[in-house]
Amino acid sequence: MKKSIVYIALLIAVALIAAVYFTFDPSTTRFMPRCLFHELTGWQCPGCGSQRMLHALFHGNLPEAWNYNAFLLCIIPLLIPMVWLEINRNKYPSLYMRVHSLPVTITAVGAIIAWWILRNL
């Protein structure tokens, strides 16, 4: 019972966040947070453009979403099974341990660092 309430609350929170990003364009809206790293250095962090990417994706503009943050756009399909696995971690403990292993973590961190460097060249 308690778990289902948490899942429902998370689902409502995700739906509300999606509605905000669908409704408001982060490029023109002042209340959307700006990237502090970009503001201080002028360089883009791995997440820069993610808000605008979500807005473009929710409006079906895939090329624009790609231009804002191609890495995150490519990662979204991987996040869905990861969330499913997190919810079902007790049912599939060996799969959970393989996905949350040191080699996978090192690969993910390496990919993020590579994206961070490449997008600032």
Side-chain angles (χ1 to χ4, degrees), residues 37-52:
F37 181 80
H38 185 266
E39 294 289 321
L40 293 174
T41 66
W43 294 352
Q44 294 186 2
C45 77
C48 276
S50 58
Q51 294 181 89
R52 291 171 288 156

Side-chain angles (χ1 to χ4, degrees), residues 27-89:
S27 300
T28 59
T29 306
R30 288 190 172 172
F31 70 86
M32 294 293 211
R34 303 278 182 232
C35 177
L36 184 60
F37 181 80
H38 185 266
E39 294 289 321
L40 293 174
T41 66
W43 294 352
Q44 294 186 2
C45 77
C48 276
S50 58
Q51 294 181 89
R52 291 171 288 156
M53 186 272 309
L54 283 173
H55 180 75
L57 189 61
F58 286 146
H59 287 274
N61 194 337
L62 205 53
E64 189 176 331
W66 177 268
N67 287 333
Y68 286 132
N69 195 320
F71 184 76
L72 183 60
L73 186 63
C74 292
I75 293 300
I76 288 174
L78 297 174
L79 294 177
I80 295 167
M82 297 269 305
V83 169
W84 176 86
L85 184 58
E86 187 65 37
I87 292 169
N88 293 295
R89 66 194 282 179

Side-chain angles (χ1 to χ4, degrees), residues 1 3-4 6 10 16-18 26 35 37 67 69 72 78 81 83 85-86 88 90 97 99 104 108 111 120:
M1 179 69 179
K3 235 181 187 183
S4 61
V6 171
L10 284 173
L16 287 172
I17 291 168
C35 177
F37 181 80
N67 287 333
N69 195 320
L72 183 60
L78 297 174
V83 169
L85 184 58
E86 187 65 37
N88 293 295
N90 293 330
M97 292 306 295
V99 170
V104 172
N120 285 297

Side-chain angles (χ1 to χ4, degrees), residues 34 42 69 81 105 109 113 118:
R34 303 278 182 232
N69 195 320
T105 302
V109 169
I113 291 170
L118 289 173

